[in-house]
Amino acid sequence: MNKEDNKDIIIGQNITFSYKDRIILDNQSFSFKKGEHIGIIGESGSGKSTFLKLLAGLLTPSSGTLEVDSESDPAKIMKKISMVMQDAMIMPLTIRENIALGKEIKKERMDEIIKATRLDLWTDSLPEGIDTYLGERADELSGGQAQRIAIARAIAKDADIILLDEPTSSLDKDTIKDVMEALETLTDEKSVIHVTHQTDLLKGYHRILKIGGGRIYE
Amino acid sequence: MLKLTKSRGDDLKVFKRLIKKNAILAVLTIILTFLSIISQFVWTIYVGKIIDSIAQREGLSVRLLLTMGVILLISVAFIYSSNLISRFTAEKMAHTLRMDFIKNLLSSDGASDEKGAFEAMSKVQNELSQSSEYLSNTLFDIFSMALSGILALFFLLFENAFLTLIILIPMIIVCIAGRFLGQKINPLVNASMNKKIVFNKTAYSLITGFDVVNVFDAKEFFKNRFEKELNEWAEVETKKERVSAVCNSLSGILSQTPLLVLFAAGAILIWKGMLSLGGLIIFLNMTGTLLITLMNLPSWAVSMKSFLIHLSRCDV
């Protein structure tokens, strides 16, 4: 964390949110500082992923105020964050298109991203490299390859706030190690909120919060 | 260890083993199928005899009618028993296949533990189910139809070799044309199917990945992409339908030519006294069986080859 910059980048005040008849947050207030790495843990179904979607602006609280990097409009909040989810969502596009999702990314920058996520180990072996069309077989990629593409997508967005929703939960031990290395590149000098049930992945995080029973607490 | 690549000889190995293990049932099925086809041929011959009697203004004798009644009953009995035995044999063979697979797997070095057996089983799950399905639903039906065609050919050659050879020529032309037209349509069918899979996948991605699309501000990108894929599919689909309509019309017209040739040649032979009206009826009846066999032989061969490959992959 950059100690010089101690300002709160996410501020939630008196937030209440229910999802599918279940109270996820009941009048809760919280704040996360810029550059802080936060781990969120909790029982299955406690609302960890829903909380992350709230922070991303994908869901709106029933009451209370949420400010993300001084923005409270969900559409503007979404522009400030990057997200890696449990399901990498690989579309029937080329690898490049899956990363850029329609954005213009310069070749040098794309090369950097590919190297940072170690996708080059795979794409260099493909005749058409990152321009390989995944087509209807997009969902046949290995979990590690798919998550690396999702991480590359998040790096390409270059947002200051990174939300991680169990990005390694469906991977085996060796792949988790590789994906975590790629995640380090993504999260370096960024504000990170990482939802997981694998607490060993949260070593070195500044704070670990627990969510459950409508509360969020340390 | 599972062997996934095999030679042609190996492809037949499992099939031969299945037949060998169910030899009595397999032989019984072959005999009953043969007899049921022959009994139907005999029935057709007698129908021809009745028509000849009517054409010659002779009365129908009680003996002829009784004989036909007996043939009909025998034919029904053979059809019923061959169907029953062939279904039973198919199920028995499918069962042998699954049980042999499990037995061999558990006794082999590579998969002596339950987990290894389960993993190997899941690897060949598709092969096992495809092979069992083919055994149960297709194998003996194809066998019966192919045998009918072959026997019909010999029977017609025996009845009137000249007429048989004359109608075989347009039949072979129809088969070659059918194959050629099929080759024209198949790539378009595949292209259309692939495009459809892609745009369905994109549509599915938009629904399941709605959060990703939102967070990465990719709505416009996907909207354009989806429209592009939909247009590409529509283009291929239109072309496919156009070519398909032309091919089907041609195929439809062509498929009538053996019948026209049969009528023309048959009429000449009847006029010259070389064929009876009943004989022409027999030809009309059996050329259909022959044409179906000839037209379907390539697809039967392909499905049989694919079945043997699936089957060979179930070997451990």
Side-chain angles (χ1 to χ4, degrees):
Chain A
M1 178 169 50
N2 186 355
K3 287 178 183 172
E4 291 169 15
D5 202 339
N6 209 22
K7 81 164 195 177
D8 287 334
I9 199 162
I10 298 176
I11 304 163
Q13 283 181 322
N14 307 111
I15 290 193
T16 298
F17 182 76
S18 300
Y19 188 67
K20 291 180 183 171
D21 297 333
R22 214 177 57 243
I23 295 171
I24 306 295
L25 291 177
D26 186 11
N27 198 29
Q28 295 294 295
S29 296
F30 50 85
S31 61
F32 306 137
K33 297 200 180 301
K34 190 173 182 184
E36 202 174 16
H37 285 200
I38 310 276
I40 307 276
I41 57 169
E43 303 285 314
S44 282
S46 57
K48 302 188 291 290
S49 296
T50 311
F51 176 66
L52 221 52
K53 285 184 182 181
L54 262 175
L55 298 184
L58 292 164
L59 298 170
T60 316
S62 333
S63 65
T65 56
L66 177 72
E67 236 178 53
V68 176
D69 203 7
S70 311
E71 295 291 352
S72 52
D73 176 6
K76 287 179 180 165
I77 289 175
M78 277 183 225
K79 290 189 190 301
K80 302 267 181 183
I81 60 116
S82 215
M83 203 167 180
V84 180
M85 298 182 183
Q86 190 174 340
D87 182 352
M89 284 313 308
I90 304 303
M91 328 278 186
L93 307 165
T94 65
I95 299 168
R96 183 193 298 277
E97 287 171 322
N98 260 296
I99 294 169
L101 290 182
K103 314 284 181 309
E104 199 65 52
I105 298 174
K106 285 187 177 160
K107 188 189 172 300
E108 296 76 24
R109 174 74 179 137
M110 185 58 93
D111 288 346
E112 272 174 31
I113 295 168
I114 295 291
K115 278 207 177 92
T117 48
R118 293 176 68 190
L119 274 167
D120 54 339
L121 298 174
W122 167 49
T123 55
D124 285 352
S125 68
L126 301 170
E128 290 178 69
I130 61 165
D131 290 308
T132 300
Y133 179 62
L134 300 174
E136 62 272 24
R137 294 202 184 106
D139 47 6
E140 288 174 20
L141 292 183
S142 74
Q145 284 165 338
Q147 274 311 15
R148 265 189 258 266
I149 290 177
I151 293 165
R153 189 185 287 156
I155 295 176
K157 188 171 176 184
D158 197 25
D160 285 335
I161 303 161
I162 310 291
L163 305 180
L164 306 174
D165 186 4
E166 307 214 38
T168 56
S169 66
S170 57
L171 307 177
D172 59 63
K173 266 185 190 170
D174 293 336
T175 318
I176 287 177
K177 195 171 160 269
D178 285 349
V179 170
M180 285 309 288
E181 278 172 21
L183 274 173
E184 274 171 30
T185 315
L186 168 68
T187 56
D188 193 30
E189 294 182 12
K190 308 274 186 191
S191 306
V192 178
I193 295 142
H194 186 169
V195 159
T196 184
H197 61 272
Q198 297 161 296
T199 45
D200 53 319
L201 300 178
L202 302 176
K203 271 179 199 156
Y205 273 53
H206 300 107
R207 279 194 289 161
I208 295 175
L209 304 180
K210 192 167 184 184
I211 198 162
R215 291 174 58 224
I216 181 161
Y217 54 97
E218 282 195 52
Chain B
M1 196 178 155
L2 290 167
K3 298 169 209 163
L4 292 176
T5 50
K6 285 166 184 282
S7 65
R8 193 177 168 74
D10 280 329
D11 287 349
L12 278 169
K13 200 177 88 182
V14 185
F15 187 59
K16 280 181 187 166
R17 200 167 64 214
L18 284 179
I19 297 279
K20 210 173 160 185
K21 288 202 169 185
N22 297 281
I24 295 171
L25 281 171
V27 169
L28 200 60
T29 304
I30 292 167
I31 292 171
L32 284 171
T33 308
F34 180 83
L35 289 174
S36 77
I37 293 165
I38 294 294
S39 67
Q40 287 168 71
F41 285 0
V42 174
W43 167 257
T44 310
I45 292 169
Y46 271 83
V47 169
K49 278 187 179 180
I50 286 186
I51 287 167
D52 280 343
S53 297
I54 295 168
Q56 286 158 20
R57 293 168 190 267
E58 292 169 0
L60 294 180
S61 66
V62 177
R63 193 179 164 188
L64 180 67
L65 290 173
L66 278 174
T67 313
M68 283 195 73
V70 172
I71 292 168
L72 187 66
L73 287 174
I74 292 172
S75 186
V76 168
F78 278 139
I79 292 169
Y80 175 79
S81 48
S82 76
N83 275 338
L84 192 75
I85 292 294
S86 65
R87 297 273 166 236
F88 182 71
T89 308
E91 285 307 322
K92 190 79 181 20
M93 282 167 80
H95 179 70
T96 308
L97 175 69
R98 287 188 289 261
M99 292 316 288
D100 273 11
F101 175 78
I102 301 279
K103 260 191 254 170
N104 291 344
L105 194 68
L106 291 172
S107 60
S108 67
D109 296 337
S112 53
D113 59 305
E114 200 181 317
K115 188 170 174 276
F118 178 76
E119 277 174 13
M121 182 85 182
S122 68
K123 271 185 193 169
V124 291
Q125 194 68 44
N126 184 43
E127 319 294 344
L128 272 175
S129 73
Q130 298 256 17
S131 304
S132 304
E133 202 181 305
Y134 190 89
L135 277 168
S136 304
N137 301 328
T138 318
L139 182 68
F140 287 111
D141 286 345
I142 286 182
F143 169 72
S144 171
M145 283 191 281
L147 190 63
S148 289
I150 294 163
L151 291 177
L153 177 64
F154 283 111
F155 182 81
L156 291 177
L157 280 170
F158 178 76
E159 277 284 305
N160 193 320
F162 173 71
L163 191 57
T164 308
L165 291 174
I166 279 188
I167 55 166
L168 265 179
I169 296 165
M171 275 188 190
I172 290 166
I173 293 171
V174 168
C175 293
I176 294 169
R179 191 121 181 92
F180 173 76
L181 296 175
Q183 278 170 355
K184 286 263 168 207
I185 301 173
N186 285 348
L188 289 168
V189 171
N190 289 338
S192 164
M193 209 160 68
N194 286 340
K195 295 273 178 204
K196 200 172 176 179
I197 290 171
V198 168
F199 84 69
N200 276 339
K201 170 86 185 146
T202 304
Y204 179 73
S205 302
L206 278 174
I207 297 163
T208 53
F210 194 64
D211 289 345
V212 173
V213 174
N214 268 325
V215 167
F216 291 92
D217 196 18
K219 272 184 254 177
E220 199 60 27
F221 171 68
F222 274 103
K223 187 175 158 274
N224 295 337
R225 186 86 197 183
F226 187 70
E227 273 173 10
K228 184 176 164 266
E229 282 163 5
L230 199 65
N231 289 336
E232 281 175 0
W233 170 75
E235 208 173 293
V236 176
E237 183 68 11
T238 312
K239 194 175 173 190
K240 185 199 90 183
E241 288 303 322
R242 213 171 45 229
V243 174
S244 176
V246 172
C247 289
N248 286 339
S249 315
L250 276 173
S251 177
I253 292 166
L254 277 172
S255 65
Q256 300 302 322
T257 36
L259 195 65
L260 279 175
V261 171
L262 177 62
F263 275 129
I268 293 168
L269 290 179
I270 289 172
W271 182 60
K272 286 188 169 178
M274 292 162 76
L275 184 75
S276 67
L277 190 62
L280 183 64
I281 295 294
I282 292 172
F283 264 83
L284 273 173
N285 205 318
M286 292 203 178
T287 45
T289 310
L290 189 56
L291 188 60
I292 288 169
T293 306
L294 282 175
M295 287 185 88
N296 287 308
L297 265 181
S299 63
W300 289 344
V302 170
S303 71
M304 186 71 186
K305 172 78 188 155
S306 140
F307 160 68
L308 289 175
I309 291 171
H310 283 305
L311 204 57
S312 68
R313 287 179 181 166
C314 299
D315 196 17
V316 283

